Each structure stands twice: as C-alpha cells, then as structure tokens.
Amino acid sequence: MTSPSPCRWGILSTATIARKNWQAIRDAGNASLVAVASRDAEKARRFVEECHAQVPQPRKPEALGSYEALLQRPDVDAVYIPLPTGLRKEWVIRAAEAGKHVLVEKPVAVCAADFREMMEACRQKGVQLMDGTMFMHSRRLQRLREVLDDPDMIGDIQRLVLHFSFPGGEEFMRQDIRTKTALEPMGCLGDLGWYCIRFALWAMEFATPNLVSAHAQSRAMEGRKATGVPVTASGRLFFGYNGRESDAMFHCSFDSSNAQWAVINGTKGSLYVSDFVLPFSGATTGFTVRKPEFVLNGCQFDMREGQLEERIDEPSNNAPGSQEAEMFRTFSSLVLDGKIDDRWSSISLKTQEVLDACIESCNKHGSAIPLMGK
Amino acid sequence: MTSPSPCRWGILSTATIARKNWQAIRDAGNASLVAVASRDAEKARRFVEECHAQVPQPRKPEALGSYEALLQRPDVDAVYIPLPTGLRKEWVIRAAEAGKHVLVEKPVAVCAADFREMMEACRQKGVQLMDGTMFMHSRRLQRLREVLDDPDMIGDIQRLVLHFSFPGGEEFMRQDIRTKTALEPMGCLGDLGWYCIRFALWAMEFATPNLVSAHAQSRAMEGRKATGVPVTASGRLFFGYNGRESDAMFHCSFDSSNAQWAVINGTKGSLYVSDFVLPFSGATTGFTVRKPEFVLNGCQFDMREGQLEERIDEPSNNAPGSQEAEMFRTFSSLVLDGKIDDRWSSISLKTQEVLDACIESCNKHGSAIPLMGK
C-alpha cells in the first residue's frame, strides 16, 4: 500500500491522541513515521516501544529527547503537533521555520491572533498547515454534503443542534491539562466545543455567523480557587445565510455522559448523526434523514415516521479508510504533490475566530458578540 | 367496553382537533359523546354528520347552534373546549358555572392570571379542570418515568433539548388562527412550545425553573403589518434541581419540517424520543436510551454505541389505548368516581407561567425572566 516515496512524519509530544495517530500514519498508505519526540527521552522511548509492540510500523521510529532535534531532521517532511494548546504557537512556528509541514491539533491556538501568526509563518516557508479535526476527512462527511446539497432532502438549513460531552470524573477535573488555565485556557470549549463549531460551520458552507453568544455554566477549580477554565458550556451562532436566518446551538461538557450528536433541521427534513466526532465502533458509519409526514383524514390524525437510515462502508476507527487515516493520507498527498491548500488553514482560522467569540461572550455573561467583518 | 354509566361529554367548537377527540371519546371506554356545539348550527350539523359517518358513536350526538345551549344540558357531565385560546377563559368559567367538568385545550389561557381565575371558578363549583396535553396520558410517559427513576440509566438530568416544528406553508401563515393576535397571541409558543415546556417540566418533576429566556426569531405578518405572533421561537429554562444546575432548551416553529424530538442528557446516559408529541403511526410507541462507552486500549480508541431501543405496546393514534383515548378515560374516571384531582390544573398553571415568562422574555429581546416565588 505504501507509495514508493511516502511523506515522512515526526510526532512532537507523546499525548494520548498521538497513540491513535501513530496507527493512522501507518494506515494512511502514503506516509511513514520516522521519529517521535518528547522533552523526556525516556518518555519518548517508552511511547515508541509500547506503540510499536501493539501496532508495528514498517520500520521502528526513533525516539528523540527534544522537539528541536526532531525539527532539525532532514528525513522528516511533516510534523504532527498534539502539544497542549498553550504551546502550539511556539512549536508550529518553529516547525514552519524548520521547513516542516504542520498538522496541529485543535484548538489550533490560544486565540485567532496567534493563529494568524502561525499561518503567516507557514505561508512564508511554503508549508502546509492543517488542523487535526478528523471528521473533516470522513467518507460520511462527503456523503452528508451530497444529502445537504440535494434539494429534496433537508431543504434550506434552519437550525443545528450539537452536543458533545464525556464524563471526565474527579481525577480528570483535578489533574487533566484540559482543566488547566495555562495549557488549555478554553477548557471544554476548546476540546469539545471546537467540533460542534466546526461541524456547524461546515454545514453552513463556512458562512461567518453574524453573532455568537455563549455561557460557561461551570468552571474548573483548583482546590477552592477557580481556574476559570470552562467545564460545561453552551453556545449559539446566528447566521444570515442565503437570505434566511438560521442558528446553531451547541453544548459541551467534561461532566456528562458520553454523547456526540448533531441534528440539522431544514425546511424539508432533518438529519441526525449520533456520533459525529468519534464514530461508534464498526465497519460502517451512518446517519439518519427524517422526513415525517402528517396525514389528516377526517377524524384520523397520523404522523408517518419517514425515516431513512444510511450506512456507509467506512471503518469507524483504527483501520485504513478511517477518518484519521484519511486525514494523514490527504495531508501526505498535498505534501507529496507539492501543493499547498490554504483552505485548510482558513477553516481553522474561522473556527478559532468563532471559538474566541464564544470565550469573549462567556466572559461577558453571554453577551452577543458580533463577528461579521472580523 | 362502555361502563354502565359513562361520563357524558359535550364538545364546544368544531376545531380540527375536536375530530380526533370525537374518536378518543368513543375509544375511552367510559365516556359517551352527547352533543357538539358551534356558534353556527349548520357547522355543528356538518361536523357531526362527517365524524359520525367515519367514526360512528354508539348513539349519534346532537348538533347544537350555541355553546350556552350545550352548557345548559342536564345530560352533559363534562365539556371538551378546543376553542381558540383568546376565548378559553370566558367559556371555561361559564362551563364551570354551569357545573360542567372541563377539559380545555392548550395553551390553557392568554396568561397565567386568567388561568388562575379559571381554576378558581372550577374550584368553587367543585369541577375537574385538565388541559388537553395528550402525551401526559401515554403508557410511554409512564415507562419513561421508570427509566428516569432508575439510577443506573440516565443518572441526574443535566440537560434537555426539545424541538417541535411543522411546515405551516403560505396559506397557514396568512389565514390560520394560530398566527392571529386576538385568538392565539402566543403563536408557535402556545401551540408548539407548550409541549416542549410541559415535557421539560414533567422530566424535572415539575420543579420551577429559576430563570427563563426566549427569543422569537420571526413574527407573523398581515400584509406588511407585523401581528407580533411568534412563528419561530427558542427558549431556555434554567433549573436548580437536586443541588445541580440543569437547563432545557427548546425550539418551535410553524415554518420548518415536521419534527418533534426530545433528548434528555444525564450523568450516566441519554434518552431520545423521536416523536414525543404525536407518536409515529403504528401499534407501538418507543424511545431510545444511549449509553456510549469510550474504550482506550493503547493505540486503539473505540466508542461503543450502547444503544437500547424499547418499544411499548401502545397504539400511536386513533384507537383504544392511544394517549388521547387514555386522556378521556382518565378524565372520565375522575368524574365518575367523584374525585377532583387538582394536580392536573396545577401543572397546567405551571406550564402557563413558564410560557408567560417566555413571552415576556421575547418581548424584552431575550432578557432572563426570574420565576422563583411566582
């Protein structure tokens, strides 16, 4: 499957998500993993040993004790950066300056202004910049676009509702970096809200919302001191789109049961995805279109269900063809073809801008933040 | 099936919903329909002819040309009042004064203050007062209560999302009374939002929300003049419940595709009902509990679906055992047993109070309206 000259990857950090992408790089079909770097050489070594034992790479990657050492390697074309958000700006810019293409985790930065600097650094060096939103690369999303584009299915989009939550638990709340101000200042909005915002923007063909409003219902504590990081938050994006008003409401939380659903409601029908971020395990992914029909016949009222379920031949996780393997395949193709596609960083920027507006609104008790012209 | 002495019913008005309840009275098993009244005798006659041809009553009901004539009948125990909201106060009070038990359509009044007068009139005459929210009487709702009460299923409720919409179309927007200020001043909030609010309050065991906020995204027009009736609206109820903050978000519209779904998200799982108001056609009703489980095994991330679908042996519509037939059966039993149950009017009042607060918030551009102590 591997092409004669694969895109050669390095990973900066041994974050948990890097374990999944260790396999995704292997499964991409046009990529090879050269090295993994940590600030702690022993941690890098252990990461490589453990991953290689479970998911062997064609050639065992090297373990490096410094990020800089990885960036200086001439045998690395592209780097995957899942470092904490607070460190992303520095290392994306340093990677670009070293001439490496960059796949950076989300949220892409602490704020959109920082991300603009990161984009500029990549532009100057002619390297690709993309964020790690895996679902953008799924076959399901392509199929959903066809459904949304079909005038007989959903019609004009009027409303989106999105929910992404997981049960962090006590230890998570106390110790996980996602509740720490310095490393992950956006808390659940950055970690989970990002996906809701991205999916909504994608559905709206990346129209910019006119207004954004959000509330953080709870914020993380360190002992008795509030760190201010949102743990549970809701937001709303108001769009004027194709001459119609529509809006997206989302909710995200580190403190609820596992749920990751999206509903798109339109003039003709609605679309339901029960697992829009991390697909439920299986050999297929799916979604449901609902077009209930009300039938009035004298004294008899009926509501016909009108449900169309569709399954797509796409592995959910941990396999070639999965959304994460496709992400690395797409990125690697851009690198191998010598084509830089700025669309990827521009949608990262737009997502980050909406996220910034949500944070601003949270800090202003839900005040509506205008976005147009930003 | 009919008991030796059924509860004897009259219907005030020939509204479309009265056609469905013509059959529901027949299917209740302990009720009989004596007469139907309209201000127009010919309209009443036609209504009775048409309904009786399609769904024959054991004895053909009389057609009366005046509401008052029906209220003066000694052979009528209870009246069903689906008159427009703007007329409900007058006729509920007149029915109570005539000693009739009253089943009134929702929203129960133009405002909660009016409904309190209606309650007082019924209390003074010792007659039952109940609203026409059919789903309150479904077997499904009983089963959902068991699920919510099971500590291993949903856990503590954290969030509810509710959506009820239908495609009114152009003629509806121009002509239907639900877009007319005098008759239905609450527009879609009264017609559709009522169900969302009621379901949320039911789920929260009728806890009073601390705050309510709502927006009317669009309002009905007569020619170029806004009548002010909400056509599309969203609201949010904030609860402090069992020491936990939670909230319900709802959306309702006369201008979208048919949809009527509810999600309850809790600490341990979530509950989904795709048709919480008017069940999809069939011999059963249903709901889904979702408890996805995230499994992390080194490089492999899996999200297991954890979906439990349940079907209940309950006809959706137009049959004995349907929620509307059960509504008339329950009401008739209270009348026949000589027991007045004030719980029914107290939940009507609470629903109306929350609805009033939503209207107030819409008129104040979404300002949060406090409800506690009201």
Side-chain angles (χ1 to χ4, degrees), chain A residues 98-116:
Chain A
K100 307 304 182 196
H101 302 278
V102 181
L103 180 62
V104 62
E105 265 306 331
K106 36 54 55 184
V108 289
V110 167
C111 62
D114 278 6
F115 189 66
R116 281 194 205 93

Side-chain angles (χ1 to χ4, degrees), chain A residues 119-139:
Chain A
M119 287 171 81
E120 181 55 22
C122 290
R123 198 195 58 75
Q124 282 187 7
K125 290 290 183 170
V127 295
Q128 178 68 46
L129 179 58
M130 184 189 281
D131 69 56
T133 311
M134 295 173 176
F135 68 65
M136 294 301 297
H137 304 271
S138 64
R139 278 180 227 166

Side-chain angles (χ1 to χ4, degrees), chain A residues 46-333:
Chain A
R46 216 166 45 233
F47 178 93
V48 169
E49 290 303 326
E50 287 170 11
C51 292
H52 198 66
Q54 188 185 15
V55 179
Q57 299 286 350
R59 180 179 298 185
K60 186 171 174 178
E62 284 183 50
L64 306 175
S66 119
Y67 303 142
E68 192 54 40
L70 194 151
L71 295 183
Q72 294 317 318
R73 299 268 303 220
D75 60 347
V76 167
D77 304 311
V79 289
Y80 168 55
I81 304 186
L83 287 166
T85 306
L87 306 178
R88 281 175 197 156
K89 179 182 173 184
E90 176 188 353
W91 287 102
V92 167
I93 291 175
R94 289 175 74 165
E97 285 171 349
K100 307 304 182 196
H101 302 278
V102 181
L103 180 62
V104 62
E105 265 306 331
K106 36 54 55 184
V108 289
V110 167
C111 62
D114 278 6
F115 189 66
R116 281 194 205 93
E117 289 183 50
M118 293 150 72
M119 287 171 81
E120 181 55 22
C122 290
R123 198 195 58 75
Q124 282 187 7
K125 290 290 183 170
V127 295
Q128 178 68 46
L129 179 58
M130 184 189 281
D131 69 56
T133 311
M134 295 173 176
F135 68 65
M136 294 301 297
H137 304 271
S138 64
R139 278 180 227 166
R140 174 163 64 179
L141 212 74
Q142 293 172 31
R143 182 66 195 117
L144 289 176
R145 174 54 62 207
E146 291 170 8
V147 169
L148 292 176
D149 287 348
D150 181 337
D152 294 326
M153 292 293 269
I154 308 304
D156 294 332
I157 295 177
Q158 296 172 301
R159 188 163 182 253
L160 296 104
V161 190
L162 307 113
H163 180 115
F164 189 13
S165 61
F166 68 78
E170 271 184 45
E171 201 185 310
F172 176 95
M173 293 299 177
R174 241 188 350 259
Q175 304 206 339
D176 197 272
I177 67 152
R178 283 171 282 187
T179 64
K180 302 287 176 252
T181 317
L183 295 174
E184 296 295 348
M186 285 165 283
C188 70
L189 279 164
D191 193 41
L192 308 177
W194 172 278
Y195 291 102
C196 300
I197 292 167
R198 168 59 63 84
F199 191 85
L201 292 174
W202 167 82
M204 302 302 283
E205 300 183 283
F206 293 97
T208 303
N210 299 324
L211 289 172
V212 167
S213 165
H215 287 270
Q217 277 110 306
S218 69
R219 294 174 184 264
M221 305 289 286
E222 279 184 5
R224 296 178 129 194
K225 193 173 147 249
T227 68
V229 171
V231 167
T232 298
S234 301
R236 196 156 172 193
L237 322 180
F238 296 89
F239 295 88
Y241 174 68
N242 283 346
R244 236 187 204 284
E245 286 184 12
S246 57
D247 71 293
M249 296 171 94
F250 72 89
H251 183 84
C252 55
S253 181
F254 291 148
D255 186 29
S256 190
S257 52
N258 281 311
Q260 38 157 343
W261 53 267
V263 177
I264 302 178
N265 217 87
T267 48
K268 295 190 179 172
S270 59
L271 180 65
Y272 177 76
V273 189
S274 58
D275 54 349
F276 77 102
V277 183
L278 178 61
F280 293 139
S281 303
T284 61
T285 58
F287 62 88
T288 307
V289 172
R290 294 194 168 114
K291 294 167 81 69
E293 192 192 351
F294 179 65
V295 181
L296 177 60
N297 170 27
C299 298
Q300 316 243 290
F301 289 40
D302 268 315
M303 184 65 84
R304 295 188 188 145
E305 187 164 6
Q307 182 165 313
L308 313 152
E309 275 203 70
E310 188 168 322
R311 302 301 309 180
I312 295 145
D313 184 20
E314 171 182 47
S316 59
N317 283 298
N318 315 315
S322 66
Q323 58 185 20
E324 68 271 16
E326 286 299 294
M327 178 170 77
F328 281 94
R329 196 189 56 73
T330 298
F331 192 108
S332 297
S333 287

Side-chain angles (χ1 to χ4, degrees), chain B residues 249-266:
Chain B
M249 297 173 94
F250 72 88
H251 183 83
C252 55
S253 181
F254 291 148
D255 186 29
S256 189
S257 53
N258 281 311
Q260 38 158 342
W261 53 267
V263 177
I264 301 177
N265 217 87

Side-chain angles (χ1 to χ4, degrees), chain B residues 128-129 136 202 206 340-348:
Chain B
Q128 178 67 46
L129 179 58
M136 294 302 297
W202 168 83
F206 294 99
I340 302 303
D341 186 347
D342 287 337
R343 195 181 68 98
W344 290 107
S345 53
S346 75
I347 64 176
S348 306

